[in-house]
Amino acid sequence: AEFLSMRFGTILRSMLTLFELMAAPNLPDYQNQGNLLFERPFLSLFLVCYVIYGSFGMIALLTGVISESMFEKNQTRMEEERQEKEEQRRMISSNCAAMFGKLQTDDRERAMRVSVEQLIPKLERMLDMACVDYLVDDIARVIELRVDYDDMISKDDFCNGMFALASGIRPVTIQELYSIVTKIGRDVDDLVDKVDLVLFGKSDSLASGVSSEFEQPCRSD
């Protein structure tokens, strides 16, 4: 009784005792008081429930709140980065399209490689203003990888290549693979056209030969 009076005798002592149990549960102090816990089963039940829900539950609650706050901040930061990249994409695409529009192009909106390479100083200033990290020869390498077999580059390939460079995709990685795959696809298309030309040419000559053989007996009759 004296122990309980010392711990729960007044409201302030009770609040301090409950705070101590929440901050650092120390049930051995109660076990050392003889048969205190066995004689008062409701006290034992209260202490166990308070330690579980008060101490451990509070720690879990604080951990959850902190984790949720960090998750929300991370989501907010990711959304801000996405919006910045989208704004950067629009800015780079519009600037590149404006630069490319001043060049002399053909009916397929393609310009000569030499003309596009003259835009490199302007492209460097644009990337510097956008705080893009790039190497000195990256722009020339992008242009080289985007040209067609006839040394021409289209407007879309030019804009996409510059945006890929601004996004951190170096020319020596994915863009080289893209260029190789594109060239292979063009070579395959050319090969298919040549095969079709040969096959249709032979079929036309064969058809003309057969028709001429049928015409000869008819004339002799």
Side-chain angles (χ1 to χ4, degrees):
E2 183 180 356
F3 176 79
L4 293 179
S5 177
M6 183 180 62
R7 292 299 182 95
F8 300 97
T10 62
I11 296 177
L12 293 178
R13 288 182 181 178
S14 300
M15 293 176 62
L16 180 60
T17 300
L18 294 177
F19 178 77
E20 290 177 352
L21 286 174
M22 182 184 297
N26 191 10
L27 293 181
D29 289 345
Y30 297 85
Q31 293 175 351
N32 296 331
Q33 301 301 318
N35 296 327
L36 177 64
L37 297 179
F38 293 100
E39 293 175 355
R40 292 175 172 81
F42 290 103
L43 177 61
S44 303
L45 181 62
F46 169 76
L47 294 176
V48 171
C49 293
Y50 186 81
V51 169
I52 293 176
Y53 294 101
S55 179
F56 301 154
M58 185 61 65
I59 293 175
L61 179 62
L62 292 176
T63 304
V65 170
I66 294 173
S67 300
E68 183 68 19
S69 177
M70 294 177 63
F71 179 77
E72 291 179 355
K73 289 182 180 180
N74 188 32
Q75 290 293 108
T76 303
R77 184 171 63 254
M78 292 176 60
E79 181 65 20
E80 291 176 353
E81 291 178 355
R82 187 191 65 81
Q83 293 178 358
E84 289 178 359
K85 288 183 179 181
E86 186 66 24
E87 182 65 25
Q88 186 184 63
R89 177 185 177 87
R90 287 195 295 266
M91 186 268 292
I92 292 177
S93 298
S94 60
N95 290 341
C96 291
M99 294 180 189
F100 196 89
K102 296 179 181 180
L103 301 178
Q104 185 177 0
T105 59
D106 57 5
D107 54 350
R108 297 169 57 186
E109 291 188 347
R110 299 187 307 165
M112 294 294 297
R113 173 181 175 179
V114 178
S115 301
V116 177
E117 289 178 344
Q118 295 177 357
L119 300 175
I120 291 180
K122 296 181 179 179
L123 294 173
E124 289 178 349
R125 288 194 296 269
M126 179 189 68
L127 295 179
D128 291 337
M129 292 178 60
C131 299
V132 176
D133 185 17
Y134 66 96
L135 300 178
V136 177
D137 57 343
D138 278 350
I139 300 177
R141 187 65 175 149
V142 168
I143 296 174
E144 179 183 356
L145 293 174
R146 295 284 175 163
V147 295
D148 295 334
Y149 58 92
D150 53 354
D151 211 29
M152 303 281 286
I153 181 171
S154 65
K155 178 180 179 180
D156 293 337
D157 286 341
F158 173 71
C159 295
N160 292 334
M162 293 308 303
F163 177 75
L165 178 61
S167 300
I169 303 176
R170 287 290 173 263
V172 294
T173 55
I174 298 178
Q175 296 200 54
E176 285 189 347
L177 295 177
Y178 171 82
S179 176
I180 293 173
V181 172
T182 303
K183 290 180 180 179
I184 291 176
R186 290 167 181 163
D187 294 339
V188 171
D189 292 338
D190 293 340
L191 182 60
V192 170
D193 293 338
K194 292 179 182 179
V195 171
D196 291 340
L197 182 61
V198 172
L199 292 178
F200 284 121
K202 288 185 178 180
S203 62
D204 293 340
S205 61
L206 180 61
S208 61
V210 172
S211 60
S212 61
E213 289 181 359
F214 276 103
E215 290 177 356
Q216 290 178 359
C218 294
R219 291 177 181 178
S220 61
D221 293 341

